[in-house]
Amino acid sequence: MKKKIAIVTGGSSGIGLAIAKKFTEQNIHTIILGRGQEKLNEAASLLGANCEAIAFDVTNLGGLPELITGIIKKHGHIDILVNNAGINLKKSALEVTDQEFQQIILTNLTSVFAITREVAKNMVERKSGSIINISSMAAQYGLPFVVAYAASKTAIEGITRTLAVELSPHGVRVNSIAPGFIATKMSSTALNGDPERKQKVLSRTPMGRLGDPGDIANTAYFLASDDSTFMTGTVIPVDGGNSIGF
Ligand code: NDP
């Protein structure tokens, strides 16, 4: 059996790092992408020999085909793609500039499409592959002050379904995970210093706490594995009940 090869965008911290940790522990060769070299180095030394870190900004759309071709040349194939890299902007919708809106869409949506297209070409050729997109509660209900982020994540669920239908005949599965509020740098930036919002989050989460990045990693591993071979086009909330909480 050939060792599986995975790409995890934004794999140097938070949820992406937890996913990369789970994959490397399961003997999947995991390529993590991120912008900060120092963060990548730290992650790579934590994850060990099954991890390969590449400094790459996913908004560099023009550089993506060469990046993916290089990875395929080196490893022969890509089995798993986790589109995890993302940024948030918490601001009143009336104050968000066009440039800010575009930057969120470029990072969280356009780059996801562009990297998926390049990786899926190889997966379709090999008639095998699992693509996992990271969505959000912002795509499940009206979360105020994150208008661009909500637009990007809602579209992620749309492209998940479209790609699942288009790629199914070619043996490629596409699914999404919608994390609830998970303890990472992104959520602490959004919630710390805003006790009212944090209280609202916790009060509508039946389990009454933030999630752990490892909770998302376990679901990503399930979707990447042969235990989920009849699943495609789904959006799986991993949220302590936040999306159904009162
Ligand atoms: P973090 O901010 O901890 O991690 C984000 C990662 O993405 C970092 O590794 C960052 O590395 C990388 N990244 C950001 N922009 C780029 C870019 N242009 N190119 C390459 N890498 C990039 O956030 P989380 O772990 O919390 O979030 C991960 C994903 O989960 C995001 O898509 C987020 O929207 C989603 N999510 C998070 C939730 C939460 O509660 N934490 C809830 C729901 C969804 P670097 O800055 O070095 O490039």
Side-chain angles (χ1 to χ4, degrees):
M1 280 273 283
K2 271 197 217 153
K3 197 181 238 188
K4 281 192 174 173
I5 307 292
I7 297 175
V8 179
T9 69
S12 60
S13 68
I15 291 173
L17 177 61
I19 294 171
K21 184 166 180 287
K22 179 78 183 179
F23 284 3
T24 52
E25 282 168 0
Q26 299 299 322
N27 206 28
I28 296 170
H29 184 85
T30 306
I31 297 157
I32 57 172
L33 306 180
R35 293 166 301 177
Q37 187 67 58
E38 212 172 299
K39 261 162 65 182
L40 284 168
N41 292 347
E42 271 175 39
S45 65
L46 175 83
L47 299 175
N50 273 334
C51 173
E52 186 179 340
I54 301 179
F56 189 87
D57 183 335
V58 294
T59 65
N60 172 13
L61 303 182
L64 275 170
E66 196 184 331
L67 173 83
I68 300 306
T69 308
I71 291 172
I72 292 165
K73 216 175 199 174
K74 182 170 176 191
H75 296 286
H77 53 106
I78 299 167
D79 303 282
I80 302 156
L81 169 65
V82 183
N83 287 308
N84 164 82
I87 54 171
N88 195 2
L89 174 70
K90 197 176 130 208
K91 204 173 180 186
S92 156
L94 303 188
E95 306 293 329
V96 174
T97 67
D98 294 339
Q99 202 189 0
E100 287 168 335
F101 194 91
Q102 292 281 36
Q103 189 59 30
I104 302 274
I105 296 292
L106 175 62
T107 307
N108 295 5
L109 178 62
T110 315
S111 79
V112 170
F113 167 66
I115 192 167
T116 300
R117 181 191 58 218
E118 296 309 312
V119 171
K121 285 175 188 170
N122 177 256
M123 291 177 166
V124 164
E125 212 173 274
R126 297 177 52 247
K127 296 217 157 293
S128 165
S130 175
I131 297 166
I132 299 156
N133 298 322
I134 304 298
S135 180
S136 165
M137 286 302 110
Q140 319 308 313
Y141 53 74
L143 188 65
F145 310 124
V146 289
V147 68
Y149 183 79
S152 70
K153 294 298 187 179
T154 306
I156 281 294
E157 297 190 5
I159 66 172
T160 296
R161 286 185 282 269
T162 293
L163 290 171
V165 171
E166 215 170 309
L167 300 180
S168 278
H170 305 285
V172 180
R173 299 184 298 114
V174 189
N175 290 286
S176 288
I177 299 171
F181 292 80
I182 310 297
T184 67
K185 188 166 154 263
M186 183 186 281
S187 61
S188 62
T189 307
L191 298 179
N192 293 352
D194 190 346
E196 208 180 311
R197 194 167 177 99
K198 188 165 187 180
Q199 179 49 32
K200 176 95 179 173
V201 163
L202 293 175
S203 70
R204 66 165 294 166
T205 305
M207 289 188 181
R209 61 172 174 85
L210 299 187
D212 184 87
D215 296 324
I216 310 305
N218 289 336
T219 307
Y221 178 63
F222 167 70
L223 288 173
S225 78
D226 289 347
D227 286 342
S228 60
T229 45
F230 199 49
M231 291 178 68
T232 198
T234 62
V235 178
I236 304 182
V238 181
D239 64 350
N242 180 273
S243 57
I244 53 84
F246 174 63

